[in-house]
């Protein structure tokens, strides 16, 4: 990774492969949670395509890069028009497997006034994704620049990365990982991925659970080859790499729906890293993209490239 960062700006748009969940997202806004054996009326309801890998693939495509999606779903997902939505957004879905039996992944996202969202998730056939299928699918794609894993079981991600690296000895892509909804599992094994992946996307809660309240000092002191991009929610983000630390701070942003903001952050960070070879510039654009996504309803409603550049000064404290 050191030679990658120091090789200068590539100016190229990359080929991204996003691996993980395809979900049906049901997003509701309610005044309060119901009491036992009671109900409340939702103020709004939105049904859309989601899942970390899907959100990433749309965000990368909207930023101008080539985007492939690897995952598993059922005919229900397609019948809702979500495959058409992905194709219209430039995402290549050749390696999305459709199985006839089982339920698709579903996330029920609940927004409450002045509170953090609540999420009830069901993985469904996302659980069928295995390392062999991932490795075979990646091998079919030419000139891959990034393979991104989002909310993939740790054992599956570990096996897939090792198999892909074995087959791509001469030109190995950048590997990035976001534990996402599998964070509790990854907290126990994250050490196996430092050095194995090139970019690790974490949030503050994850870092605190693993390394304690002094996690920032710990990450700063560790001269890992892995770039650790730490998402801090409405405060912005930090990145730790090669014994360095850089941060980007957000101005106050009015949020509508933060679901998928982290995935937009991941995608734009990786896109910018390919283009600029600069962690600082990548962090700046990624924070902007995540904040802009939060202004829109729907997990995959990420901003387009032009909007990210146009709104950067409005969003960030530069």
């Amino acid at each position: 990774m050191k030679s990658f960062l120091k090789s200068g700006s590539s100016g190229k748009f990359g080929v991204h492969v996003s691996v993980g969940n395809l979900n049906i997202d049901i997003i509701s806004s309610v005044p309060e949670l119901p009491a036992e054996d009671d109900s409340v009326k939702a103020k709004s309801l939105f049904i859309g395509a989601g899942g970390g890998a899907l959100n990433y693939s749309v965000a990368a495509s909207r930023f101008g890069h080539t985007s492939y999606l690897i995952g598993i779903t059922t005919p229900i997902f397609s019948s809702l028009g979500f495959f058409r939505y992905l194709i219209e957004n430039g995402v290549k879905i050749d390696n999305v497997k459709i199985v006839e039996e089982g339920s698709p992944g579903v996330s029920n996202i609940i927004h409450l006034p002045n509170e953090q969202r609540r999420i009830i998730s069901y993985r469904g056939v996302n659980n069928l994704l295995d390392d062999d299928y991932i490795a075979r699918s990646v091998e079919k794609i030419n000139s891959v620049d990034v393979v991104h894993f989002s909310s993939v079981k740790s054992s599956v991600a570990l096996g897939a990365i090792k198999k892909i690296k074995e087959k791509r000895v001469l030109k190995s892509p950048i590997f990035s990982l976001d534990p996402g909804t599998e964070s509790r599992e990854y907290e126990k094994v994250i050490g196996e991925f430092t050095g194995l992946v090139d970019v690790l996307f974490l949030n503050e809660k994850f870092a605190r659970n693993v390394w304690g309240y002094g996690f920032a000092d710990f990450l700063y002191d560790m001269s890992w080859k892995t770039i650790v991009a730490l998402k801090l929610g409405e405060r912005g983000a930090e990145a730790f790499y090669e014994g360095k630390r850089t941060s980007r701070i957000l101005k106050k942003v009015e949020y509508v729906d933060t679901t998928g903001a982290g995935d937009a952050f991941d995608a734009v960070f990786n896109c910018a890293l390919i283009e600029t070879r600069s962690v600082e510039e990548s962090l700046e654009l990624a924070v902007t993209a995540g904040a802009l996504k939060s202004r829109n309803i729907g997990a995959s409603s990420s901003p387009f490239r032009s909007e990210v550049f146009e709104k950067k000064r409005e969003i960030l404290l530069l």
Side-chain angles (χ1 to χ4, degrees), residues 142-295:
N142 294 324
S143 303
V144 176
D145 294 290
V146 178
V147 181
H148 176 72
F149 293 82
S150 178
S151 299
V152 176
K153 291 181 179 179
S154 61
S155 58
V156 174
L158 195 64
I161 292 170
K162 289 180 178 180
K163 288 178 180 179
I164 296 167
K165 286 193 172 188
E166 286 172 2
K167 293 183 179 181
R168 291 181 177 256
V169 177
L170 295 179
K171 187 181 183 302
S172 182
I174 295 169
F175 289 95
S176 64
L177 171 73
D178 189 330
T181 57
E182 299 297 300
S183 289
R184 290 183 182 178
E185 177 187 328
Y186 275 93
E187 286 175 5
K188 305 171 186 175
V189 297
I190 197 63
E192 297 183 48
F193 290 90
T194 55
L196 183 66
V197 300
D198 302 288
V199 186
L200 192 56
F201 296 105
L202 304 176
N203 61 36
E204 194 171 20
K205 181 180 178 182
F206 184 102
R208 187 168 58 246
N209 288 347
V210 175
W211 297 295
Y213 282 92
F215 62 82
D217 292 333
F218 173 83
L219 292 171
Y220 179 72
D221 290 338
M222 295 300 294
S223 296
W224 288 333
K225 291 183 179 179
T226 300
I227 298 169
V228 178
L230 189 66
K231 292 174 273 191
L232 304 174
E234 61 185 23
R235 302 201 317 276
E238 291 187 301
F240 301 83
Y241 64 104
E242 299 180 3
K244 300 175 184 177
R245 178 181 183 179
T246 186
S247 63
R248 291 297 181 271
I249 301 171
L250 276 170
K251 295 178 183 177
K252 187 172 178 60
V253 178
E254 295 297 326
Y255 297 121
V256 174
D257 177 24
T258 59
T259 310
D263 303 314
F265 176 101
D266 297 354
V268 172
F269 185 95
N270 282 345
C271 289
L273 196 63
I274 291 173
E275 293 181 38
T276 68
R277 308 302 201 212
S278 166
V279 174
E280 290 82 0
E281 290 182 49
S282 301
L283 191 66
E284 191 171 280
L285 294 170
V287 170
T288 303
L292 289 172
K293 191 273 123 206
S294 297
R295 291 177 170 181

Side-chain angles (χ1 to χ4, degrees), residues 25-70:
D25 283 353
I26 304 170
I27 304 172
S28 57
S29 177
V30 298
E32 60 185 2
L33 293 176
E36 289 186 24
D37 197 27
D38 199 2
S39 66
V40 296
K41 288 184 171 62
K43 294 188 293 184
S44 64
L45 181 72
F46 175 89
I47 300 175
L54 183 151
N55 300 336
Y56 179 104
S57 67
V58 173
S61 180
R62 288 186 173 186
F63 204 71
H65 289 229
T66 302
S67 185
Y68 290 82
L69 178 59
I70 296 176

